[in-house]
Amino acid sequence: MERAKVGKRGWWSAVVMVVVMVMAMGKGGEAQLLENFYAFSCPNVEAIVRQVVLTKLSQTFVTVPATLRLFFHDCFVQGCDASILIASSNGDAEKDAPDNLSLAGDGFDIVIKAKQAVEALCPGIVSCADILAIAARDVVFLSGGPSFIVELGRRDGLVSNASLVPGNLPQPNFDLNQLNQLFSENNLTQIDMIALSGAHTVGFSHCGKFTNRLYSFSSASTLDPSLNASYAQQLMAACPQNVDPNIAFDLDLITPQTFDNFYYHNLVAGKGLLSSDEVLFTDPASQSTVIDFATNPSDFNAAFITAMIKLGRVGVKTGLEGEIRTVCTTFNS
Ligand code: HEM
Ligand SMILES: *[C@@H]1O[C@H](CO)[C@@H](O)[C@H](O)[C@H]1NC(C)=O
Ligand SMILES: *[C@@H]1O[C@H](CO)[C@@H](O)[C@H](O)[C@H]1NC(C)=O
Ligand SMILES: *[C@@H]1O[C@H](CO)[C@@H](O)[C@H](O)[C@H]1NC(C)=O
Ligand SMILES: CC(=O)N[C@H]1CO[C@H](CO)[C@@H](O)[C@@H]1O
C-alpha cells in the first residue's frame, strides 16, 4: 500500500514535469525559464533554499558576496548551468581557474547544502543551477537589497573545464569598451553592466587586483589620478608594496555589509576600488548612469533587478538539455 502510494506520486510528478516543460516551450519551440517552474513538482524549493541561506548568513556575512560572485562567474562561463560547482580530482574544472581565487567556499557550501535539503523532499527535480539562482536572489534581499521573483527551469551542464574560463570573465583593468564588449556577448547592456557592478557594494578584493593603481599606474604618474587622495593613502597603508597576497580590502568601505547604492557614491568621490569600478564614473559615456544610481536608490534597485534576471538567462540549458544533477559537485555519470 505504502509503496503503491509513492509510485503514484512519482508518476504524477513525472506527468507534471512534462506539462511544465511543454508550458515552458516558447513560440519558436525553444524552452524558456518560468517563475513558477516548480510550483507543482517542488513547491517548497524556495523556502528550503531561503532557510539554508539564513542559517549560513547567521554564521558569516561572506555568504552574501560569495554567493553573488559565484552566480556571476557561473553564468559568464558556458551559461548559468552550475558548471562552476563541479569538483575535479585533476584540478582542471571551471572552479580551478585562476580567476576563481576569491570564490569563497561559502557560496559552494550554500548550494551543496540546499541541494541536499531539496533532494530529500523532491529527488531529481531541481537543478543546482536553479538553486544557485535562488540563493543569489536571496542574499541580495537579506543584506538590504531589493527582492524580486527569480525565473527557474535551468538544467545543469555536462561540461566544466578551467580552460573555458579565460576570456569570459571581466578583468579589473578593463576599460568601458572592454566591459561593454564582454557584457554584450552575454546579452547585457551598458546599463545592466553598471547595475550589476553594484554587486561590489559587498565583499573584498585582494590587494593584487588594484595595487598597480597605487605604485605603477603609468609612466606619467605612479598613482592613478582618478583616485581620491585620502582614499589612496588608506589603500597604500592597507596594501604596501609586496604585500601578503592574502590581504584584501572592502570593495565598499562605507557600508561593506549592506547591499545599497553606496558603491556609486564611492565612484563619484573617486573611491572605486578597482579600475573597472572607477572607469564607470570617469568615462563620460557611463558617468550619468553612475550619478543617477548614486542619487536615486530606486533607479539602481530597478536596474539591478532587471539585470539580475537577464544575467540568470545567460546561456541557460532548458527542456531536455543537460541534466538534473543529484549531487552538485559531480555529473550524474
Ligand atoms: C564589471 C566587471 C567586473 C569585474 C572586472 C570584477 C572583478 C572583480 C574582482 C577583481 C574582484 C576581487 C577578486 C579577488 O580579489 O580575488 C571582485 C569581487 C567581487 N565581485 Fe566582481 N567584477 C565584475 C562584476 C561583478 C558582477 C557582475 C558581480 C555580481 C553580480 C560581481 C560580484 C563580486 C563580488 C560579490 C565580489 C566580492 C567577492 C568576495 O568578497 O568574496 N562582480 N570582482
Ligand atoms: C579540459 O580541457 C583540457 C584542454 O582542452 C583537456 O586536456 C582536459 O582533458 C579537459 N578536462 C576535462 C575534465 O574535461
Ligand atoms: C575625497 O575624500 C574625502 C574624504 O572622504 C572627501 O572629503 C572629498 O570630498 C573626496 N574628494 C573628492 C574629489 O570627492
Ligand atoms: C542572447 O540572446 C539571443 C536571442 O534571444 C540568444 O539566441 C542567445 O543564445 C543569447 N546569448 C546568451 C549568451 O545567452
Ligand atoms: C574555491 C576554489 O575552488 N578555489 C580553487 C581555485 O583554484 C585554485 C587553483 O588555481 C585552487 O587552489 C583553489 O582551491
PDB file of all heavy atoms in Angstrom, residues 185-207:
ATOM      1  N   GLU A 185      28.222  40.393 -25.194  1.00  0.00           N
ATOM      2  CA  GLU A 185      28.267  38.995 -25.651  1.00  0.00           C
ATOM      3  C   GLU A 185      27.320  38.121 -24.818  1.00  0.00           C
ATOM      4  O   GLU A 185      26.929  37.041 -25.240  1.00  0.00           O
ATOM      5  CB  GLU A 185      29.692  38.428 -25.525  1.00  0.00           C
ATOM      6  CG  GLU A 185      30.646  38.925 -26.601  1.00  0.00           C
ATOM      7  CD  GLU A 185      32.103  38.595 -26.297  1.00  0.00           C
ATOM      8  OE1 GLU A 185      32.364  37.768 -25.395  1.00  0.00           O
ATOM      9  OE2 GLU A 185      32.986  39.202 -26.945  1.00  0.00           O
ATOM     10  N   ASN A 186      26.982  38.612 -23.635  1.00  0.00           N
ATOM     11  CA  ASN A 186      26.060  37.887 -22.766  1.00  0.00           C
ATOM     12  C   ASN A 186      24.687  38.552 -22.726  1.00  0.00           C
ATOM     13  O   ASN A 186      23.930  38.398 -21.752  1.00  0.00           O
ATOM     14  CB  ASN A 186      26.658  37.778 -21.362  1.00  0.00           C
ATOM     15  CG  ASN A 186      27.869  36.862 -21.340  1.00  0.00           C
ATOM     16  OD1 ASN A 186      27.731  35.652 -21.501  1.00  0.00           O
ATOM     17  ND2 ASN A 186      29.054  37.418 -21.188  1.00  0.00           N
ATOM     18  N   ASN A 187      24.394  39.299 -23.779  1.00  0.00           N
ATOM     19  CA  ASN A 187      23.083  39.951 -23.932  1.00  0.00           C
ATOM     20  C   ASN A 187      22.795  40.969 -22.834  1.00  0.00           C
ATOM     21  O   ASN A 187      21.634  41.183 -22.487  1.00  0.00           O
ATOM     22  CB  ASN A 187      21.951  38.907 -23.977  1.00  0.00           C
ATOM     23  CG  ASN A 187      21.990  38.087 -25.255  1.00  0.00           C
ATOM     24  OD1 ASN A 187      22.588  38.505 -26.256  1.00  0.00           O
ATOM     25  ND2 ASN A 187      21.353  36.931 -25.243  1.00  0.00           N
ATOM     26  N   LEU A 188      23.828  41.573 -22.287  1.00  0.00           N
ATOM     27  CA  LEU A 188      23.629  42.577 -21.239  1.00  0.00           C
ATOM     28  C   LEU A 188      24.076  43.949 -21.761  1.00  0.00           C
ATOM     29  O   LEU A 188      25.129  44.064 -22.401  1.00  0.00           O
ATOM     30  CB  LEU A 188      24.415  42.194 -19.983  1.00  0.00           C
ATOM     31  CG  LEU A 188      23.943  40.884 -19.327  1.00  0.00           C
ATOM     32  CD1 LEU A 188      25.000  40.328 -18.389  1.00  0.00           C
ATOM     33  CD2 LEU A 188      22.630  41.097 -18.581  1.00  0.00           C
ATOM     34  N   THR A 189      23.271  44.961 -21.485  1.00  0.00           N
ATOM     35  CA  THR A 189      23.555  46.322 -21.957  1.00  0.00           C
ATOM     36  C   THR A 189      24.549  47.025 -21.026  1.00  0.00           C
ATOM     37  O   THR A 189      24.886  46.509 -19.952  1.00  0.00           O
ATOM     38  CB  THR A 189      22.270  47.160 -21.965  1.00  0.00           C
ATOM     39  OG1 THR A 189      21.831  47.296 -20.598  1.00  0.00           O
ATOM     40  CG2 THR A 189      21.174  46.499 -22.785  1.00  0.00           C
ATOM     41  N   GLN A 190      24.966  48.212 -21.427  1.00  0.00           N
ATOM     42  CA  GLN A 190      25.859  49.010 -20.564  1.00  0.00           C
ATOM     43  C   GLN A 190      25.170  49.312 -19.232  1.00  0.00           C
ATOM     44  O   GLN A 190      25.810  49.263 -18.171  1.00  0.00           O
ATOM     45  CB  GLN A 190      26.251  50.309 -21.266  1.00  0.00           C
ATOM     46  CG  GLN A 190      27.077  51.229 -20.369  1.00  0.00           C
ATOM     47  CD  GLN A 190      27.618  52.438 -21.108  1.00  0.00           C
ATOM     48  OE1 GLN A 190      28.449  52.316 -21.997  1.00  0.00           O
ATOM     49  NE2 GLN A 190      27.151  53.620 -20.730  1.00  0.00           N
ATOM     50  N   ILE A 191      23.863  49.615 -19.285  1.00  0.00           N
ATOM     51  CA  ILE A 191      23.147  49.902 -18.029  1.00  0.00           C
ATOM     52  C   ILE A 191      23.092  48.648 -17.155  1.00  0.00           C
ATOM     53  O   ILE A 191      23.324  48.716 -15.940  1.00  0.00           O
ATOM     54  CB  ILE A 191      21.735  50.466 -18.321  1.00  0.00           C
ATOM     55  CG1 ILE A 191      21.898  51.859 -18.952  1.00  0.00           C
ATOM     56  CG2 ILE A 191      20.885  50.512 -17.047  1.00  0.00           C
ATOM     57  CD1 ILE A 191      20.618  52.589 -19.225  1.00  0.00           C
ATOM     58  N   ASP A 192      22.843  47.487 -17.766  1.00  0.00           N
ATOM     59  CA  ASP A 192      22.872  46.225 -16.999  1.00  0.00           C
ATOM     60  C   ASP A 192      24.245  46.051 -16.349  1.00  0.00           C
ATOM     61  O   ASP A 192      24.348  45.663 -15.175  1.00  0.00           O
ATOM     62  CB  ASP A 192      22.640  45.012 -17.911  1.00  0.00           C
ATOM     63  CG  ASP A 192      21.265  44.985 -18.561  1.00  0.00           C
ATOM     64  OD1 ASP A 192      20.314  45.504 -17.959  1.00  0.00           O
ATOM     65  OD2 ASP A 192      21.169  44.439 -19.690  1.00  0.00           O
ATOM     66  N   MET A 193      25.291  46.313 -17.132  1.00  0.00           N
ATOM     67  CA  MET A 193      26.665  46.120 -16.647  1.00  0.00           C
ATOM     68  C   MET A 193      26.953  47.046 -15.459  1.00  0.00           C
ATOM     69  O   MET A 193      27.531  46.610 -14.450  1.00  0.00           O
ATOM     70  CB  MET A 193      27.644  46.378 -17.801  1.00  0.00           C
ATOM     71  CG  MET A 193      29.107  46.148 -17.485  1.00  0.00           C
ATOM     72  SD  MET A 193      29.913  47.597 -16.808  1.00  0.00           S
ATOM     73  CE  MET A 193      29.933  48.666 -18.247  1.00  0.00           C
ATOM     74  N   ILE A 194      26.518  48.311 -15.565  1.00  0.00           N
ATOM     75  CA  ILE A 194      26.762  49.259 -14.470  1.00  0.00           C
ATOM     76  C   ILE A 194      25.969  48.828 -13.227  1.00  0.00           C
ATOM     77  O   ILE A 194      26.481  48.885 -12.106  1.00  0.00           O
ATOM     78  CB  ILE A 194      26.399  50.691 -14.910  1.00  0.00           C
ATOM     79  CG1 ILE A 194      27.291  51.120 -16.092  1.00  0.00           C
ATOM     80  CG2 ILE A 194      26.534  51.667 -13.744  1.00  0.00           C
ATOM     81  CD1 ILE A 194      26.854  52.419 -16.759  1.00  0.00           C
ATOM     82  N   ALA A 195      24.726  48.375 -13.441  1.00  0.00           N
ATOM     83  CA  ALA A 195      23.896  47.943 -12.311  1.00  0.00           C
ATOM     84  C   ALA A 195      24.494  46.706 -11.641  1.00  0.00           C
ATOM     85  O   ALA A 195      24.587  46.635 -10.408  1.00  0.00           O
ATOM     86  CB  ALA A 195      22.470  47.667 -12.779  1.00  0.00           C
ATOM     87  N   LEU A 196      24.938  45.735 -12.447  1.00  0.00           N
ATOM     88  CA  LEU A 196      25.496  44.504 -11.868  1.00  0.00           C
ATOM     89  C   LEU A 196      26.804  44.773 -11.137  1.00  0.00           C
ATOM     90  O   LEU A 196      27.111  44.124 -10.135  1.00  0.00           O
ATOM     91  CB  LEU A 196      25.700  43.445 -12.956  1.00  0.00           C
ATOM     92  CG  LEU A 196      24.429  42.794 -13.496  1.00  0.00           C
ATOM     93  CD1 LEU A 196      24.751  41.922 -14.699  1.00  0.00           C
ATOM     94  CD2 LEU A 196      23.725  41.971 -12.415  1.00  0.00           C
ATOM     95  N   SER A 197      27.574  45.758 -11.636  1.00  0.00           N
ATOM     96  CA  SER A 197      28.805  46.127 -10.936  1.00  0.00           C
ATOM     97  C   SER A 197      28.496  46.608  -9.523  1.00  0.00           C
ATOM     98  O   SER A 197      29.365  46.572  -8.640  1.00  0.00           O
ATOM     99  CB  SER A 197      29.551  47.222 -11.696  1.00  0.00           C
ATOM    100  OG  SER A 197      29.976  46.763 -12.961  1.00  0.00           O
ATOM    101  N   GLY A 198      27.256  47.051  -9.306  1.00  0.00           N
ATOM    102  CA  GLY A 198      26.807  47.466  -7.973  1.00  0.00           C
ATOM    103  C   GLY A 198      26.879  46.341  -6.956  1.00  0.00           C
ATOM    104  O   GLY A 198      26.799  46.587  -5.752  1.00  0.00           O
ATOM    105  N   ALA A 199      27.067  45.094  -7.423  1.00  0.00           N
ATOM    106  CA  ALA A 199      27.294  43.972  -6.500  1.00  0.00           C
ATOM    107  C   ALA A 199      28.562  44.200  -5.689  1.00  0.00           C
ATOM    108  O   ALA A 199      28.737  43.614  -4.621  1.00  0.00           O
ATOM    109  CB  ALA A 199      27.384  42.656  -7.271  1.00  0.00           C
ATOM    110  N   HIS A 200      29.444  45.055  -6.194  1.00  0.00           N
ATOM    111  CA  HIS A 200      30.657  45.398  -5.437  1.00  0.00           C
ATOM    112  C   HIS A 200      30.342  46.328  -4.266  1.00  0.00           C
ATOM    113  O   HIS A 200      31.224  46.974  -3.732  1.00  0.00           O
ATOM    114  CB  HIS A 200      31.719  46.018  -6.369  1.00  0.00           C
ATOM    115  CG  HIS A 200      32.323  45.042  -7.333  1.00  0.00           C
ATOM    116  ND1 HIS A 200      33.196  45.405  -8.325  1.00  0.00           N
ATOM    117  CD2 HIS A 200      32.180  43.687  -7.439  1.00  0.00           C
ATOM    118  CE1 HIS A 200      33.557  44.329  -9.022  1.00  0.00           C
ATOM    119  NE2 HIS A 200      32.948  43.269  -8.498  1.00  0.00           N
ATOM    120  N   THR A 201      29.103  46.381  -3.857  1.00  0.00           N
ATOM    121  CA  THR A 201      28.693  47.054  -2.620  1.00  0.00           C
ATOM    122  C   THR A 201      28.955  46.132  -1.423  1.00  0.00           C
ATOM    123  O   THR A 201      28.814  46.544  -0.267  1.00  0.00           O
ATOM    124  CB  THR A 201      27.205  47.444  -2.685  1.00  0.00           C
ATOM    125  OG1 THR A 201      26.822  48.072  -1.465  1.00  0.00           O
ATOM    126  CG2 THR A 201      26.306  46.221  -2.884  1.00  0.00           C
ATOM    127  N   VAL A 202      29.291  44.883  -1.692  1.00  0.00           N
ATOM    128  CA  VAL A 202      29.666  43.927  -0.636  1.00  0.00           C
ATOM    129  C   VAL A 202      30.948  43.208  -1.050  1.00  0.00           C
ATOM    130  O   VAL A 202      31.281  43.166  -2.235  1.00  0.00           O
ATOM    131  CB  VAL A 202      28.565  42.862  -0.384  1.00  0.00           C
ATOM    132  CG1 VAL A 202      27.331  43.468   0.266  1.00  0.00           C
ATOM    133  CG2 VAL A 202      28.181  42.150  -1.687  1.00  0.00           C
ATOM    134  N   GLY A 203      31.638  42.663  -0.095  1.00  0.00           N
ATOM    135  CA  GLY A 203      32.781  41.806  -0.383  1.00  0.00           C
ATOM    136  C   GLY A 203      34.111  42.532  -0.466  1.00  0.00           C
ATOM    137  O   GLY A 203      34.217  43.730  -0.199  1.00  0.00           O
ATOM    138  N   PHE A 204      35.118  41.770  -0.844  1.00  0.00           N
ATOM    139  CA  PHE A 204      36.509  42.230  -0.807  1.00  0.00           C
ATOM    140  C   PHE A 204      37.205  42.059  -2.146  1.00  0.00           C
ATOM    141  O   PHE A 204      36.798  41.246  -2.963  1.00  0.00           O
ATOM    142  CB  PHE A 204      37.318  41.385   0.190  1.00  0.00           C
ATOM    143  CG  PHE A 204      36.794  41.399   1.572  1.00  0.00           C
ATOM    144  CD1 PHE A 204      35.916  40.417   2.002  1.00  0.00           C
ATOM    145  CD2 PHE A 204      37.196  42.391   2.457  1.00  0.00           C
ATOM    146  CE1 PHE A 204      35.431  40.421   3.306  1.00  0.00           C
ATOM    147  CE2 PHE A 204      36.721  42.398   3.759  1.00  0.00           C
ATOM    148  CZ  PHE A 204      35.831  41.418   4.181  1.00  0.00           C
ATOM    149  N   SER A 205      38.287  42.796  -2.294  1.00  0.00           N
ATOM    150  CA  SER A 205      39.234  42.483  -3.360  1.00  0.00           C
ATOM    151  C   SER A 205      40.625  42.354  -2.752  1.00  0.00           C
ATOM    152  O   SER A 205      41.002  43.118  -1.866  1.00  0.00           O
ATOM    153  CB  SER A 205      39.253  43.583  -4.411  1.00  0.00           C
ATOM    154  OG  SER A 205      40.311  43.330  -5.321  1.00  0.00           O
ATOM    155  N   HIS A 206      41.362  41.391  -3.232  1.00  0.00           N
ATOM    156  CA  HIS A 206      42.749  41.253  -2.798  1.00  0.00           C
ATOM    157  C   HIS A 206      43.577  42.401  -3.358  1.00  0.00           C
ATOM    158  O   HIS A 206      43.302  42.901  -4.457  1.00  0.00           O
ATOM    159  CB  HIS A 206      43.297  39.891  -3.225  1.00  0.00           C
ATOM    160  CG  HIS A 206      42.616  38.757  -2.528  1.00  0.00           C
ATOM    161  ND1 HIS A 206      41.452  38.191  -2.990  1.00  0.00           N
ATOM    162  CD2 HIS A 206      42.916  38.141  -1.361  1.00  0.00           C
ATOM    163  CE1 HIS A 206      41.061  37.258  -2.145  1.00  0.00           C
ATOM    164  NE2 HIS A 206      41.934  37.206  -1.144  1.00  0.00           N
ATOM    165  N   CYS A 207      44.590  42.799  -2.577  1.00  0.00           N
ATOM    166  CA  CYS A 207      45.403  43.967  -2.956  1.00  0.00           C
ATOM    167  C   CYS A 207      45.941  43.865  -4.379  1.00  0.00           C
ATOM    168  O   CYS A 207      45.970  44.853  -5.113  1.00  0.00           O
ATOM    169  CB  CYS A 207      46.559  44.132  -1.978  1.00  0.00           C
ATOM    170  SG  CYS A 207      46.030  44.510  -0.294  1.00  0.00           S
TER     171      CYS A 207
END
